[in-house]
Amino acid sequence: MVNLGEPFPNFQANTTVGPIQFYDWLGNSWGVLFSHPSDFTPVCTTELARVIQLHGEFERRGVKVIALSCDSVESHHAWANDIKMYAKCDSQDALPYPIIADERRELAVQLNMIDPDEVDAQGMPLTARAVFVVDPNKKMRLSILYPATTGRNFDEILRAIDSLQLTDKHRVATPVDWKPGDFVMVQPTVPDQHIPTLFPYTTVIPLPSGKRYLRQTPQP
């Protein structure tokens, strides 16, 4: 199990674009690895189709996307046409991201993605709907785990990446329901005396406690 801030494993895998070494494949980009329980299943098809539709948004943020399930590369290739049809894209186009084959569950176990309530026809465990965001330094920056019955919201994953990339550059934090362009909060570690220089348009929200920790500023 990898915790936030720890190095993400540099695994080897067979994928729909051939064998990869994760660090080599990622290069200097951000990365999203997301798992799904099984090919030719309804929720997974909608999810992978949505990632096709949003692929340009991931690219614009410098993010590479890679999927994973416990099925074979051959199964992934056969399933791809269903995904592309649901995404309403040209069936002749290749999938814009690779899918990892993890038939022996090695990566699923290593990353603690197994869902004990989901098994295949042979009784083998399947992966849950995990999402891992890895930064260019190969560190885990975000981890979300959904059960098989709950499809993910990839717009929220993009929003979270926007927050990670923004807060890496500036000493701010993004509040509840933040969207790019909204006001942000100055981090508590920034002393009040530095505010006029760093964030000259900051507003301190008055609170019953009298404490000055809600310091709101336009997004840098």
Side-chain angles (χ1 to χ4, degrees), residues 12-29:
Q12 293 181 324
N14 197 19
T15 78
T16 49
V17 296
I20 67 161
Q21 187 88 28
F22 183 66
Y23 283 11
D24 291 341
W25 173 82
L26 188 61
N28 295 319
S29 300

Side-chain angles (χ1 to χ4, degrees), residues 205-211 213-214:
I205 299 174
L207 298 168
S209 66
K211 298 182 182 296
Y213 61 87
L214 280 183

Side-chain angles (χ1 to χ4, degrees), residues 151-167:
R152 288 160 285 205
N153 183 328
F154 283 91
D155 292 305
E156 163 58 15
I157 293 166
L158 284 169
R159 188 195 76 93
I161 291 168
D162 286 335
S163 174
L164 290 170
Q165 294 181 341
L166 174 68
T167 57

Side-chain angles (χ1 to χ4, degrees), residues 46-67:
T46 65
E47 287 189 320
L48 271 73
R50 182 59 176 152
V51 175
I52 291 177
Q53 294 168 344
L54 290 173
H55 194 257
E57 291 297 318
F58 284 104
E59 284 190 320
R60 187 167 65 81
R61 292 162 171 83
V63 180
K64 290 185 175 181
V65 181
I66 189 165

Side-chain angles (χ1 to χ4, degrees), residues 42-118:
V43 176
C44 301
T45 301
T46 65
E47 287 189 320
L48 271 73
R50 182 59 176 152
V51 175
I52 291 177
Q53 294 168 344
L54 290 173
H55 194 257
E57 291 297 318
F58 284 104
E59 284 190 320
R60 187 167 65 81
R61 292 162 171 83
V63 180
K64 290 185 175 181
V65 181
I66 189 165
L68 175 149
S69 89
C70 297
D71 295 297
S72 67
V73 167
E74 291 75 17
S75 174
H76 295 340
H77 281 304
W79 182 38
N81 286 331
D82 292 356
I83 298 167
K84 289 184 284 186
M85 187 282 296
Y86 192 84
K88 297 181 173 60
C89 63
D90 192 332
S91 62
Q92 301 304 311
D93 292 341
L95 280 178
Y97 54 85
I99 308 177
I100 295 169
D102 191 29
E103 296 169 275
R104 297 173 62 180
R105 279 66 170 171
E106 292 174 346
L107 194 52
V109 169
Q110 182 180 6
L111 296 175
N112 200 25
M113 296 189 291
I114 293 295
D115 186 340
D117 292 329
E118 294 292 326

